[in-house]
């Protein structure tokens, strides 16, 4: 079996795949936080560029990727699709294991895919500054890179626990020219509240989102940018699954099982939605697993209902699996998976039983990362290692059943900036 699929532009795509065009039933709409009616474009205009709002609301199946976005994406896309023969041998499994390596992007995760689109859409409308939150720092780095490509300033609110644990990410953002603030802090009303209670508050994505939104609302020249959860962000990530499908054809195989980790749901959606489209339209029978940490069990233990996307109740109400907006997850090392909610579209997929979710405890996740490093030579992001834990379980199941299953998973990022996390835990 060859090791890599071709990274030629013939395996790229020039459109985003919009699964909403193929769904028999659409998810419940986002509601205005005060008036509890479906939100409209005017509600979103103070926060987001108009082009972005179009991506959020369109029902068109194939959304064209602007040429200037393709020019930047082609720096690193298509990303590698790799046949994990080292892992296969180690597990002594008849399963074929493939991973899509999104860590090959410029800042080491899939987040560049939407960051580049969002910065471009803002620049086109003359936006001068963007504001955002970041957990582990991957999103902040991705948007810093994208803003610097299109000449936009950026303010990043970084969850305190990650700010302290991952100074490398902060330095990288600053090298791209971004201003980075520890969250919660006392720059915004939303931050002050928590900061006053506890200046060492570990922070959460929900709180950092409130801070970034407040900045955009108070300053007309600033637009807000979100790295996950929204329909448009998931849409931008579908380049992953479209490429993977073309690349797998080179191996003459099609996936039976697709696995991705879930924080807000975007990398999982990016890989799986084009394939869920096949299940819906071509009657295929691919199984999908969304994998989350046991201590932040949004899909496995959360409730499906309307809830706020942030902690202060400033965002629209989203119909999603949620642990409640006040849930502050313990400070695990997979900072990107510490979010109380789940993308409404991914939530809908579970409600309709198109996908399944599972959770793993941190020791299993670190073990999976270690096995992967030693067998495939790549240190995975702690987030991505959640997906690997499930891959190992499925590969072992295939062995027990003696079945040649084809497993495809998303290696959403590398863990080279997370090395401290591994040194403390990986005994
Ligand atoms: C942010 C991040 C995640 C979680 O976010 P999703 O929107 O669920 O994809 C997972 N893996 C990596 C490497 C990340 O940076």
């Amino acid at each position: 079996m060859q090791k890599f699929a071709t990274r030629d532009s013939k395996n790229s795509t020039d459109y985003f795949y919009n699964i909403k065009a193929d769904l028999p039933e659409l998810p419940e709409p986002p509601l205005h936080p005060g008036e509890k009616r479906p939100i409209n474009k005017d509600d979103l205009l103070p926060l987001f560029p108009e082009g972005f709002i179009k991506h959020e609301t369109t029902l068109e199946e194939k959304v064209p990727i602007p040429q200037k976005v393709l020019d930047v994406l082609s720096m690193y896309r298509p990303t590698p699709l790799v046949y994990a023969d080292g892992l296969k041998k180690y597990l002594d499994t008849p399963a074929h294991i493939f991973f899509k390596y999104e860590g090959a992007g410029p800042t080491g995760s899939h987040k560049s895919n939407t960051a580049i689109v969002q910065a471009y859409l803002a620049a086109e409308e003359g936006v001068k500054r963007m504001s955002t939150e970041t957990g582990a720092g991957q999103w902040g780095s991705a948007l810093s890179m994208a803003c610097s490509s299109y000449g936009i300033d950026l303010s990043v609110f970084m969850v305190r626990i990650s700010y302290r644990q991952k100074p490398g990410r902060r330095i990288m953002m600053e090298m791209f020219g971004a201003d980075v603030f520890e969250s919660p802090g006392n720059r915004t009303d939303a931050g002050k509240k928590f900061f006053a209670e506890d200046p060492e508050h570990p922070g959460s994505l929900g709180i950092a989102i409130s801070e970034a939104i407040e900045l955009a609302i108070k300053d007309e020249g600033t637009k807000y940018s979100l790295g996950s959860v929204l329909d448009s962000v998931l849409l931008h990530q579908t380049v992953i699954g479209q490429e993977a499908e073309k690349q797998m054809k080179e191996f003459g195989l099609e996936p039976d099982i697709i696995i991705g980790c879930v924080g807000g749901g975007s990398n999982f959606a990016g890989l799986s939605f084009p394939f869920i489209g096949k299940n819906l339209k071509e009657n295929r029978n691919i199984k999908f697993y969304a994998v989350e940490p046991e201590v932040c069990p949004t899909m496995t233990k959360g409730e499906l209902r309307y809830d706020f996307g942030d902690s202060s109740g400033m965002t629209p109400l989203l119909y999603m699996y949620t642990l409640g907006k006040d849930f502050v997850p313990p400070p695990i090392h997979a900072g990107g998976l510490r979010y109380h909610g789940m993308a409404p579209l991914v939530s809908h997929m579970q409600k309709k039983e198109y996908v399944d979710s599972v959770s793993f405890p941190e020791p299993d996740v670190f073990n999976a990362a270690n096995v992967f490093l030693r067998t495939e030579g790549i240190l995975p992001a702690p987030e991505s290692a959640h997906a690997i834990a499930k891959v190992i379980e499925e590969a072992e199941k295939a062995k027990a059943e003696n079945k040649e299953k084809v497993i495809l998973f998303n290696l959403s990022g590398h863990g080279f900036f997370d090395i401290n996390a591994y040194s403390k835990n990986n005994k």
Side-chain angles (χ1 to χ4, degrees), residues 33 306-310 313-318 320 322 325 339-340:
Y306 274 108
D307 194 12
F308 294 101
D310 66 335
M314 290 162 77
T315 67
L317 284 158
L318 303 175
M320 61 181 178
T322 176
K325 76 174 178 33
Y339 182 59
H340 68 271

Side-chain angles (χ1 to χ4, degrees), residues 11 13 16 77 79 81 100-102 109-111 113 234-247 266-272 274-275 408-412:
N11 283 335
T13 176
F16 300 120
R77 304 213 71 87
T79 55
L81 177 87
K100 185 71 171 149
Y101 186 32
E102 288 300 303
S109 82
H110 65 286
K111 296 224 170 61
N113 301 331
L234 275 51
L235 176 77
H236 301 155
Q237 293 295 353
T238 58
V239 294
I240 303 172
Q242 291 186 62
E243 287 174 8
E245 198 207 336
K246 292 184 190 180
Q247 290 174 308
S266 74
N267 86 84
F268 172 73
L271 179 64
S272 61
F275 290 98
L408 168 64
F409 78 97
N410 204 15
L411 189 62
S412 52

Side-chain angles (χ1 to χ4, degrees), residues 109-111 138 228 261-267 336-337 381 383-384 412-413:
S109 82
H110 65 286
K111 296 224 170 61
Q138 283 106 332
S228 187
C261 65
V262 283
S266 74
N267 86 84
L337 306 187
E383 291 84 359
S384 319
S412 52

